[in-house]
Amino acid sequence: MGKHRLMVVEDESILRMDIKEMLIENGYEVVAEANSGDKAIELAATRKPDLIVMDIKMPKMNGIKASRIIYQAFQIPALLLTAYSERDLVEEAKNAHILGYLVKPVTERDLIPAVEIALAQANRLKAMANDIKKMEEKIQDQKIIQRAKGILMEVYQVSEEQAFKMLRSYSMNHGMTMRKVADSILLNRKLESDATAI
Ligand SMILES: [Mg+2]
């Protein structure tokens, strides 16, 4: 496994450098740093870090809004930095993509375990999103295969089981997935019906 890639977003440059150094010293790669929410969004798009350490209070766009936008667009979660006086903002930040928050001043003792936990959670989030995507694809495959089977049953006057066998043996003989075969059958049907419409 390669180094974890992090982005640090903090408008106070000294603190930003401190955090960056702590991360590097602990074996992380800091692939981007930003001093504003806007810049963070831009860099998240190009650098695609695994996790963002994000200050809440920054001029123009705050860290909560920026992290929400980044998560929606790129599914990159964030660990928030907050001053003690901003505790009310933390309420607002209770969201799936916020994997924790650190109260300033940030010490290495607090930062590193928080980053570790956040990265583990980020991995779980990613795996879960992947599972959901695969499940959705499977459901879609089944729908298409079902429709293709219906066409075969109608055209060849065969039972559902026979239609399924036809699909399966074509897919095995031609090294195509069942979904690909089903797609072709559906496309064929569409071309035929378009042709008769002309
Ligand atoms: Mg700030």
Side-chain angles (χ1 to χ4, degrees):
M1 202 169 70
K3 276 186 182 180
H4 285 294
R5 307 168 72 253
L6 272 69
M7 170 159 78
V8 180
V9 186
E10 166 62 65
D11 61 325
E12 293 161 56
S13 58
I14 292 174
L15 181 54
R16 191 174 66 243
M17 274 192 291
D18 274 354
I19 291 172
K20 187 184 167 185
E21 261 168 40
M22 289 181 214
L23 291 171
I24 292 170
E25 271 169 24
N26 283 276
Y28 299 105
E29 193 181 345
V30 176
V31 294
E33 41 183 318
N35 58 7
S36 71
D38 315 43
K39 190 80 190 154
I41 294 170
E42 209 183 297
L43 288 171
T46 55
R47 307 293 295 145
K48 297 273 164 64
D50 300 315
L51 176 71
I52 303 168
V53 178
M54 173 95 80
D55 183 27
I56 292 185
K57 271 233 166 103
M58 290 180 291
K60 286 193 282 182
M61 191 189 298
N62 75 40
I64 295 174
K65 190 173 177 201
S67 62
R68 191 184 308 130
I69 293 171
I70 289 171
Y71 191 77
Q72 277 166 2
F74 314 112
Q75 288 77 52
I76 301 166
L79 179 62
L80 294 180
L81 301 177
T82 170
Y84 184 74
S85 58
E86 298 159 13
R87 286 213 303 190
D88 49 327
L89 284 173
V90 169
E91 272 304 304
E92 198 190 321
K94 276 187 186 159
N95 214 316
H97 63 279
I98 304 297
L99 302 183
Y101 66 92
L102 288 164
V103 178
K104 292 178 193 179
V106 179
T107 65
E108 193 163 333
R109 260 182 64 186
D110 293 335
L111 176 69
I112 302 307
V115 166
E116 275 301 297
I117 291 168
L119 280 168
Q121 264 178 294
N123 270 338
R124 275 200 292 274
L125 272 181
K126 215 188 262 175
M128 230 158 53
N130 248 334
D131 285 350
I132 290 171
K133 204 176 139 209
K134 268 192 212 150
M135 227 153 57
E136 283 170 351
E137 278 167 9
K138 251 190 192 160
I139 290 169
Q140 188 58 18
D141 285 355
Q142 283 313 313
K143 264 192 211 160
I144 303 285
I145 289 167
Q146 207 58 32
R147 278 164 64 193
K149 243 171 28 181
I151 293 172
L152 292 179
M153 286 164 70
E154 181 199 314
V155 172
Y156 296 101
Q157 295 290 306
V158 292
S159 70
E160 188 175 349
E161 200 192 335
Q162 285 168 314
F164 180 77
K165 280 184 182 158
M166 284 170 78
L167 262 175
R168 195 181 52 190
S169 66
Y170 193 93
S171 120
M172 291 191 326
N173 293 338
H174 293 81
M176 286 163 78
T177 61
M178 297 258 291
R179 167 66 194 266
K180 272 260 162 65
V181 179
D183 276 337
S184 310
I185 292 169
L186 259 53
L187 177 65
N188 231 349
R189 164 57 57 102
K190 189 175 183 313
L191 290 174
E192 270 170 22
S193 72
D194 287 355
T196 47
I198 290 168

